[in-house]
Amino acid sequence: MTSTPDDQDPLDDWAALTKKALTGRAAVPKQAPARAGFLEHFTAALVGGVNPTGPLGELLPLAVGRRWIDRATAVETAFVALDGAQRPVDRKVWTGVLRPGLGATDEALPDRADLLVAVLSHGDSAVATELAPPLIAGGDEDLLGDVLAVTLPTDIKKVARTVL
C-alpha cells in the first residue's frame, strides 16, 4: 500500500510526474507514480488543494485512456471535484474534464441535478453555458425552474441568451 502525502508540494510534484507517466512525453524516474495508487493520490491532491489548472486537471481523462481507472470512476471523481471547487476557474476546469474530457453525456447530467444546480448558482459563465442547456433540455419542469432561477439573474448576457 502506498502512502499519500498531506503536504501540497509533494502532491503538486505527484500530479506533474503522473502526467509525464501517463503521456510518456518525458523521461520519468524509476519511482514514477504508479497505477495502483492513482485514485488515492488524486483524491489526496483534491483534498490538499492542488490547483486543477495545472497537471491535476488533465489527469482523469489521461488515466482513463491508459486504463489506470475506469470511466465511471473518473466521472464520479470529476463530479466530486466540481462540487468541491472554490474558484470559478476551478469549476471551469472540472466542467471541462466532465465535458468533453470524459464525455459526460447530456442524458447523464440531469441525474446529478442537485449538485449541478448548486454549481450553477455560483454564476460562472463558462460553467453555465456548458451545463445549463443539457439540464434544461433533459430535465423535468422542476429542474427547469431551478436552473432558470440560478442562471437568469446573471449580469452576463451570453449566459442569459444561452439559457433562454
Side-chain angles (χ1 to χ4, degrees):
M1 181 168 199
T2 60
S3 65
T4 55
D6 294 328
D7 186 17
Q8 186 173 341
D9 288 339
L11 292 169
D12 283 328
D13 294 343
W14 171 84
L17 282 173
T18 300
K19 181 180 175 187
K20 288 179 182 181
L22 286 166
T23 60
R25 292 189 181 149
V28 180
K30 285 183 181 180
Q31 291 78 26
R35 175 182 185 166
F38 174 80
L39 194 55
E40 181 180 289
H41 277 82
F42 188 89
T43 302
L46 280 178
V47 172
V50 173
N51 189 341
T53 61
L56 185 69
E58 301 174 47
L59 294 182
L60 287 175
L62 291 171
V64 169
R66 293 287 299 268
R67 295 189 176 121
W68 282 23
I69 60 172
D70 62 87
R71 184 182 169 283
T73 301
V75 168
E76 183 60 32
T77 304
F79 274 120
V80 169
L82 178 60
D83 187 33
Q86 298 296 312
R87 303 179 310 159
V89 68
D90 297 344
R91 288 186 289 273
K92 180 179 177 181
V93 167
W94 295 123
T95 299
V97 168
L98 281 165
R99 298 170 48 101
L102 295 171
T105 63
D106 289 357
E107 295 78 24
L109 295 181
D111 293 340
R112 303 305 299 258
D114 290 343
L115 178 148
L116 296 176
V117 168
V119 169
L120 288 170
S121 71
H122 293 286
D124 308 327
S125 64
V127 175
T129 55
E130 182 65 36
L131 298 178
L135 287 172
I136 291 169
D140 58 19
E141 289 182 20
D142 290 337
L143 179 55
L144 171 65
D146 291 345
V147 172
L148 292 176
V150 298
T151 55
L152 283 181
T154 183
D155 292 335
I156 303 167
K157 290 180 183 178
K158 178 182 176 185
V159 172
R161 261 186 263 127
T162 299
V163 170
L164 290 172

PDB file of all heavy atoms in Angstrom, residues 72 75-83 98 104 106-119 131 135 143:
ATOM      1  N   ALA A  72     -16.336   5.346 -15.408  1.00  0.00           N
ATOM      2  CA  ALA A  72     -17.371   5.662 -14.410  1.00  0.00           C
ATOM      3  C   ALA A  72     -16.749   6.224 -13.135  1.00  0.00           C
ATOM      4  O   ALA A  72     -17.268   7.187 -12.557  1.00  0.00           O
ATOM      5  CB  ALA A  72     -18.198   4.419 -14.099  1.00  0.00           C
ATOM      6  N   VAL A  75     -15.574   9.796 -13.915  1.00  0.00           N
ATOM      7  CA  VAL A  75     -16.694  10.742 -13.980  1.00  0.00           C
ATOM      8  C   VAL A  75     -17.172  11.084 -12.568  1.00  0.00           C
ATOM      9  O   VAL A  75     -17.383  12.256 -12.243  1.00  0.00           O
ATOM     10  CB  VAL A  75     -17.848  10.184 -14.852  1.00  0.00           C
ATOM     11  CG1 VAL A  75     -19.114  11.000 -14.692  1.00  0.00           C
ATOM     12  CG2 VAL A  75     -17.425  10.130 -16.320  1.00  0.00           C
ATOM     13  N   GLU A  76     -17.328  10.085 -11.739  1.00  0.00           N
ATOM     14  CA  GLU A  76     -17.755  10.326 -10.356  1.00  0.00           C
ATOM     15  C   GLU A  76     -16.746  11.205  -9.616  1.00  0.00           C
ATOM     16  O   GLU A  76     -17.123  12.130  -8.887  1.00  0.00           O
ATOM     17  CB  GLU A  76     -17.957   9.003  -9.610  1.00  0.00           C
ATOM     18  CG  GLU A  76     -18.458   9.172  -8.203  1.00  0.00           C
ATOM     19  CD  GLU A  76     -19.804   9.882  -8.104  1.00  0.00           C
ATOM     20  OE1 GLU A  76     -20.648   9.745  -9.019  1.00  0.00           O
ATOM     21  OE2 GLU A  76     -20.012  10.597  -7.106  1.00  0.00           O
ATOM     22  N   THR A  77     -15.464  10.951  -9.817  1.00  0.00           N
ATOM     23  CA  THR A  77     -14.412  11.743  -9.187  1.00  0.00           C
ATOM     24  C   THR A  77     -14.441  13.180  -9.687  1.00  0.00           C
ATOM     25  O   THR A  77     -14.258  14.126  -8.907  1.00  0.00           O
ATOM     26  CB  THR A  77     -13.030  11.095  -9.435  1.00  0.00           C
ATOM     27  OG1 THR A  77     -13.066   9.749  -8.972  1.00  0.00           O
ATOM     28  CG2 THR A  77     -11.925  11.850  -8.741  1.00  0.00           C
ATOM     29  N   ALA A  78     -14.692  13.375 -10.977  1.00  0.00           N
ATOM     30  CA  ALA A  78     -14.788  14.731 -11.525  1.00  0.00           C
ATOM     31  C   ALA A  78     -15.998  15.471 -10.958  1.00  0.00           C
ATOM     32  O   ALA A  78     -15.917  16.672 -10.683  1.00  0.00           O
ATOM     33  CB  ALA A  78     -14.855  14.677 -13.052  1.00  0.00           C
ATOM     34  N   PHE A  79     -17.106  14.775 -10.754  1.00  0.00           N
ATOM     35  CA  PHE A  79     -18.268  15.406 -10.111  1.00  0.00           C
ATOM     36  C   PHE A  79     -17.923  15.836  -8.686  1.00  0.00           C
ATOM     37  O   PHE A  79     -18.296  16.923  -8.248  1.00  0.00           O
ATOM     38  CB  PHE A  79     -19.481  14.477 -10.100  1.00  0.00           C
ATOM     39  CG  PHE A  79     -20.308  14.527 -11.350  1.00  0.00           C
ATOM     40  CD1 PHE A  79     -20.493  13.386 -12.111  1.00  0.00           C
ATOM     41  CD2 PHE A  79     -20.919  15.701 -11.765  1.00  0.00           C
ATOM     42  CE1 PHE A  79     -21.267  13.415 -13.261  1.00  0.00           C
ATOM     43  CE2 PHE A  79     -21.694  15.744 -12.916  1.00  0.00           C
ATOM     44  CZ  PHE A  79     -21.877  14.594 -13.669  1.00  0.00           C
ATOM     45  N   VAL A  80     -17.210  14.996  -7.966  1.00  0.00           N
ATOM     46  CA  VAL A  80     -16.781  15.344  -6.599  1.00  0.00           C
ATOM     47  C   VAL A  80     -15.876  16.575  -6.638  1.00  0.00           C
ATOM     48  O   VAL A  80     -16.019  17.493  -5.821  1.00  0.00           O
ATOM     49  CB  VAL A  80     -16.076  14.146  -5.928  1.00  0.00           C
ATOM     50  CG1 VAL A  80     -15.394  14.558  -4.633  1.00  0.00           C
ATOM     51  CG2 VAL A  80     -17.065  13.017  -5.674  1.00  0.00           C
ATOM     52  N   ALA A  81     -14.946  16.599  -7.580  1.00  0.00           N
ATOM     53  CA  ALA A  81     -14.039  17.738  -7.716  1.00  0.00           C
ATOM     54  C   ALA A  81     -14.806  19.009  -8.061  1.00  0.00           C
ATOM     55  O   ALA A  81     -14.544  20.078  -7.490  1.00  0.00           O
ATOM     56  CB  ALA A  81     -12.990  17.442  -8.790  1.00  0.00           C
ATOM     57  N   LEU A  82     -15.756  18.910  -8.973  1.00  0.00           N
ATOM     58  CA  LEU A  82     -16.576  20.068  -9.350  1.00  0.00           C
ATOM     59  C   LEU A  82     -17.370  20.569  -8.157  1.00  0.00           C
ATOM     60  O   LEU A  82     -17.449  21.770  -7.902  1.00  0.00           O
ATOM     61  CB  LEU A  82     -17.508  19.694 -10.504  1.00  0.00           C
ATOM     62  CG  LEU A  82     -18.469  20.769 -10.997  1.00  0.00           C
ATOM     63  CD1 LEU A  82     -17.712  21.998 -11.493  1.00  0.00           C
ATOM     64  CD2 LEU A  82     -19.351  20.205 -12.095  1.00  0.00           C
ATOM     65  N   ASP A  83     -17.925  19.666  -7.396  1.00  0.00           N
ATOM     66  CA  ASP A  83     -18.712  20.038  -6.222  1.00  0.00           C
ATOM     67  C   ASP A  83     -17.862  20.759  -5.179  1.00  0.00           C
ATOM     68  O   ASP A  83     -18.332  21.692  -4.528  1.00  0.00           O
ATOM     69  CB  ASP A  83     -19.332  18.779  -5.612  1.00  0.00           C
ATOM     70  CG  ASP A  83     -20.310  19.089  -4.493  1.00  0.00           C
ATOM     71  OD1 ASP A  83     -20.992  20.131  -4.548  1.00  0.00           O
ATOM     72  OD2 ASP A  83     -20.394  18.271  -3.558  1.00  0.00           O
ATOM     73  N   LEU A  98     -15.277  16.962 -17.207  1.00  0.00           N
ATOM     74  CA  LEU A  98     -16.501  16.170 -17.401  1.00  0.00           C
ATOM     75  C   LEU A  98     -16.929  16.167 -18.856  1.00  0.00           C
ATOM     76  O   LEU A  98     -17.281  15.132 -19.409  1.00  0.00           O
ATOM     77  CB  LEU A  98     -17.635  16.725 -16.538  1.00  0.00           C
ATOM     78  CG  LEU A  98     -17.595  16.331 -15.083  1.00  0.00           C
ATOM     79  CD1 LEU A  98     -18.540  17.214 -14.270  1.00  0.00           C
ATOM     80  CD2 LEU A  98     -17.969  14.874 -14.923  1.00  0.00           C
ATOM     81  N   ALA A 104     -19.024  13.162 -20.469  1.00  0.00           N
ATOM     82  CA  ALA A 104     -20.298  13.074 -19.737  1.00  0.00           C
ATOM     83  C   ALA A 104     -21.414  13.545 -20.672  1.00  0.00           C
ATOM     84  O   ALA A 104     -21.369  14.647 -21.197  1.00  0.00           O
ATOM     85  CB  ALA A 104     -20.259  13.916 -18.476  1.00  0.00           C
ATOM     86  N   ASP A 106     -25.231  14.528 -22.264  1.00  0.00           N
ATOM     87  CA  ASP A 106     -26.369  15.371 -21.879  1.00  0.00           C
ATOM     88  C   ASP A 106     -27.375  14.578 -21.056  1.00  0.00           C
ATOM     89  O   ASP A 106     -27.958  15.096 -20.108  1.00  0.00           O
ATOM     90  CB  ASP A 106     -27.078  15.920 -23.130  1.00  0.00           C
ATOM     91  CG  ASP A 106     -26.256  16.966 -23.863  1.00  0.00           C
ATOM     92  OD1 ASP A 106     -25.159  17.322 -23.378  1.00  0.00           O
ATOM     93  OD2 ASP A 106     -26.711  17.424 -24.920  1.00  0.00           O
ATOM     94  N   GLU A 107     -27.555  13.337 -21.417  1.00  0.00           N
ATOM     95  CA  GLU A 107     -28.544  12.490 -20.742  1.00  0.00           C
ATOM     96  C   GLU A 107     -28.140  12.176 -19.301  1.00  0.00           C
ATOM     97  O   GLU A 107     -28.995  11.949 -18.446  1.00  0.00           O
ATOM     98  CB  GLU A 107     -28.752  11.178 -21.515  1.00  0.00           C
ATOM     99  CG  GLU A 107     -29.355  11.364 -22.900  1.00  0.00           C
ATOM    100  CD  GLU A 107     -28.356  11.843 -23.948  1.00  0.00           C
ATOM    101  OE1 GLU A 107     -27.130  11.629 -23.797  1.00  0.00           O
ATOM    102  OE2 GLU A 107     -28.800  12.477 -24.923  1.00  0.00           O
ATOM    103  N   ALA A 108     -26.848  12.153 -19.013  1.00  0.00           N
ATOM    104  CA  ALA A 108     -26.376  11.815 -17.665  1.00  0.00           C
ATOM    105  C   ALA A 108     -26.448  12.992 -16.706  1.00  0.00           C
ATOM    106  O   ALA A 108     -26.523  12.795 -15.491  1.00  0.00           O
ATOM    107  CB  ALA A 108     -24.945  11.298 -17.739  1.00  0.00           C
ATOM    108  N   LEU A 109     -26.457  14.207 -17.227  1.00  0.00           N
ATOM    109  CA  LEU A 109     -26.388  15.375 -16.349  1.00  0.00           C
ATOM    110  C   LEU A 109     -27.615  15.570 -15.461  1.00  0.00           C
ATOM    111  O   LEU A 109     -27.456  15.899 -14.280  1.00  0.00           O
ATOM    112  CB  LEU A 109     -26.097  16.632 -17.164  1.00  0.00           C
ATOM    113  CG  LEU A 109     -24.722  16.656 -17.840  1.00  0.00           C
ATOM    114  CD1 LEU A 109     -24.536  17.955 -18.602  1.00  0.00           C
ATOM    115  CD2 LEU A 109     -23.591  16.442 -16.855  1.00  0.00           C
ATOM    116  N   PRO A 110     -28.836  15.380 -15.949  1.00  0.00           N
ATOM    117  CA  PRO A 110     -29.980  15.554 -15.045  1.00  0.00           C
ATOM    118  C   PRO A 110     -29.971  14.615 -13.838  1.00  0.00           C
ATOM    119  O   PRO A 110     -30.539  14.950 -12.800  1.00  0.00           O
ATOM    120  CB  PRO A 110     -31.193  15.290 -15.943  1.00  0.00           C
ATOM    121  CG  PRO A 110     -30.728  15.676 -17.304  1.00  0.00           C
ATOM    122  CD  PRO A 110     -29.275  15.237 -17.338  1.00  0.00           C
ATOM    123  N   ASP A 111     -29.291  13.487 -13.944  1.00  0.00           N
ATOM    124  CA  ASP A 111     -29.177  12.584 -12.797  1.00  0.00           C
ATOM    125  C   ASP A 111     -28.385  13.219 -11.658  1.00  0.00           C
ATOM    126  O   ASP A 111     -28.497  12.793 -10.513  1.00  0.00           O
ATOM    127  CB  ASP A 111     -28.501  11.272 -13.200  1.00  0.00           C
ATOM    128  CG  ASP A 111     -29.352  10.454 -14.160  1.00  0.00           C
ATOM    129  OD1 ASP A 111     -30.573  10.693 -14.216  1.00  0.00           O
ATOM    130  OD2 ASP A 111     -28.782   9.599 -14.856  1.00  0.00           O
ATOM    131  N   ARG A 112     -27.558  14.207 -11.969  1.00  0.00           N
ATOM    132  CA  ARG A 112     -26.752  14.910 -10.967  1.00  0.00           C
ATOM    133  C   ARG A 112     -27.246  16.339 -10.772  1.00  0.00           C
ATOM    134  O   ARG A 112     -26.487  17.231 -10.423  1.00  0.00           O
ATOM    135  CB  ARG A 112     -25.285  14.932 -11.412  1.00  0.00           C
ATOM    136  CG  ARG A 112     -24.672  13.561 -11.663  1.00  0.00           C
ATOM    137  CD  ARG A 112     -24.795  12.627 -10.464  1.00  0.00           C
ATOM    138  NE  ARG A 112     -24.124  13.127  -9.299  1.00  0.00           N
ATOM    139  CZ  ARG A 112     -22.951  12.716  -8.862  1.00  0.00           C
ATOM    140  NH1 ARG A 112     -22.324  11.759  -9.490  1.00  0.00           N
ATOM    141  NH2 ARG A 112     -22.411  13.232  -7.788  1.00  0.00           N
ATOM    142  N   ALA A 113     -28.542  16.549 -10.979  1.00  0.00           N
ATOM    143  CA  ALA A 113     -29.116  17.892 -10.979  1.00  0.00           C
ATOM    144  C   ALA A 113     -28.867  18.664  -9.688  1.00  0.00           C
ATOM    145  O   ALA A 113     -28.537  19.852  -9.735  1.00  0.00           O
ATOM    146  CB  ALA A 113     -30.616  17.819 -11.267  1.00  0.00           C
ATOM    147  N   ASP A 114     -29.010  18.030  -8.535  1.00  0.00           N
ATOM    148  CA  ASP A 114     -28.818  18.755  -7.279  1.00  0.00           C
ATOM    149  C   ASP A 114     -27.424  19.358  -7.191  1.00  0.00           C
ATOM    150  O   ASP A 114     -27.269  20.539  -6.857  1.00  0.00           O
ATOM    151  CB  ASP A 114     -29.067  17.839  -6.071  1.00  0.00           C
ATOM    152  CG  ASP A 114     -30.533  17.472  -5.906  1.00  0.00           C
ATOM    153  OD1 ASP A 114     -31.400  18.149  -6.501  1.00  0.00           O
ATOM    154  OD2 ASP A 114     -30.810  16.502  -5.183  1.00  0.00           O
ATOM    155  N   LEU A 115     -26.426  18.565  -7.506  1.00  0.00           N
ATOM    156  CA  LEU A 115     -25.055  19.049  -7.476  1.00  0.00           C
ATOM    157  C   LEU A 115     -24.844  20.144  -8.522  1.00  0.00           C
ATOM    158  O   LEU A 115     -24.273  21.195  -8.231  1.00  0.00           O
ATOM    159  CB  LEU A 115     -24.094  17.883  -7.734  1.00  0.00           C
ATOM    160  CG  LEU A 115     -22.605  18.214  -7.782  1.00  0.00           C
ATOM    161  CD1 LEU A 115     -21.812  17.034  -7.261  1.00  0.00           C
ATOM    162  CD2 LEU A 115     -22.137  18.547  -9.178  1.00  0.00           C
ATOM    163  N   LEU A 116     -25.334  19.914  -9.731  1.00  0.00           N
ATOM    164  CA  LEU A 116     -25.081  20.855 -10.817  1.00  0.00           C
ATOM    165  C   LEU A 116     -25.817  22.177 -10.640  1.00  0.00           C
ATOM    166  O   LEU A 116     -25.278  23.235 -10.965  1.00  0.00           O
ATOM    167  CB  LEU A 116     -25.417  20.205 -12.161  1.00  0.00           C
ATOM    168  CG  LEU A 116     -24.529  19.014 -12.511  1.00  0.00           C
ATOM    169  CD1 LEU A 116     -24.977  18.369 -13.804  1.00  0.00           C
ATOM    170  CD2 LEU A 116     -23.061  19.418 -12.582  1.00  0.00           C
ATOM    171  N   VAL A 117     -27.016  22.150 -10.090  1.00  0.00           N
ATOM    172  CA  VAL A 117     -27.727  23.403  -9.816  1.00  0.00           C
ATOM    173  C   VAL A 117     -26.957  24.203  -8.767  1.00  0.00           C
ATOM    174  O   VAL A 117     -26.823  25.423  -8.881  1.00  0.00           O
ATOM    175  CB  VAL A 117     -29.190  23.147  -9.392  1.00  0.00           C
ATOM    176  CG1 VAL A 117     -29.835  24.404  -8.839  1.00  0.00           C
ATOM    177  CG2 VAL A 117     -29.991  22.622 -10.584  1.00  0.00           C
ATOM    178  N   ALA A 118     -26.424  23.525  -7.766  1.00  0.00           N
ATOM    179  CA  ALA A 118     -25.604  24.209  -6.759  1.00  0.00           C
ATOM    180  C   ALA A 118     -24.365  24.833  -7.402  1.00  0.00           C
ATOM    181  O   ALA A 118     -23.983  25.966  -7.078  1.00  0.00           O
ATOM    182  CB  ALA A 118     -25.218  23.244  -5.650  1.00  0.00           C
ATOM    183  N   VAL A 119     -23.742  24.120  -8.323  1.00  0.00           N
ATOM    184  CA  VAL A 119     -22.571  24.655  -9.024  1.00  0.00           C
ATOM    185  C   VAL A 119     -22.979  25.841  -9.896  1.00  0.00           C
ATOM    186  O   VAL A 119     -22.290  26.866  -9.918  1.00  0.00           O
ATOM    187  CB  VAL A 119     -21.892  23.550  -9.870  1.00  0.00           C
ATOM    188  CG1 VAL A 119     -20.853  24.128 -10.814  1.00  0.00           C
ATOM    189  CG2 VAL A 119     -21.267  22.504  -8.960  1.00  0.00           C
ATOM    190  N   LEU A 131     -23.322  23.668 -18.932  1.00  0.00           N
ATOM    191  CA  LEU A 131     -24.172  22.738 -18.191  1.00  0.00           C
ATOM    192  C   LEU A 131     -25.663  23.067 -18.216  1.00  0.00           C
ATOM    193  O   LEU A 131     -26.492  22.154 -18.155  1.00  0.00           O
ATOM    194  CB  LEU A 131     -23.709  22.660 -16.732  1.00  0.00           C
ATOM    195  CG  LEU A 131     -22.297  22.140 -16.497  1.00  0.00           C
ATOM    196  CD1 LEU A 131     -21.967  22.164 -15.015  1.00  0.00           C
ATOM    197  CD2 LEU A 131     -22.120  20.748 -17.071  1.00  0.00           C
ATOM    198  N   LEU A 135     -29.194  20.467 -18.994  1.00  0.00           N
ATOM    199  CA  LEU A 135     -30.070  20.285 -17.836  1.00  0.00           C
ATOM    200  C   LEU A 135     -31.492  20.726 -18.162  1.00  0.00           C
ATOM    201  O   LEU A 135     -32.464  20.077 -17.782  1.00  0.00           O
ATOM    202  CB  LEU A 135     -29.549  21.056 -16.624  1.00  0.00           C
ATOM    203  CG  LEU A 135     -28.321  20.478 -15.944  1.00  0.00           C
ATOM    204  CD1 LEU A 135     -27.805  21.438 -14.878  1.00  0.00           C
ATOM    205  CD2 LEU A 135     -28.638  19.119 -15.335  1.00  0.00           C
ATOM    206  N   LEU A 143     -36.759  20.873 -12.515  1.00  0.00           N
ATOM    207  CA  LEU A 143     -35.355  21.136 -12.810  1.00  0.00           C
ATOM    208  C   LEU A 143     -35.223  22.387 -13.671  1.00  0.00           C
ATOM    209  O   LEU A 143     -34.343  23.213 -13.434  1.00  0.00           O
ATOM    210  CB  LEU A 143     -34.698  19.936 -13.488  1.00  0.00           C
ATOM    211  CG  LEU A 143     -33.225  20.095 -13.878  1.00  0.00           C
ATOM    212  CD1 LEU A 143     -32.373  20.487 -12.673  1.00  0.00           C
ATOM    213  CD2 LEU A 143     -32.707  18.816 -14.517  1.00  0.00           C
TER     214      LEU A 143
END
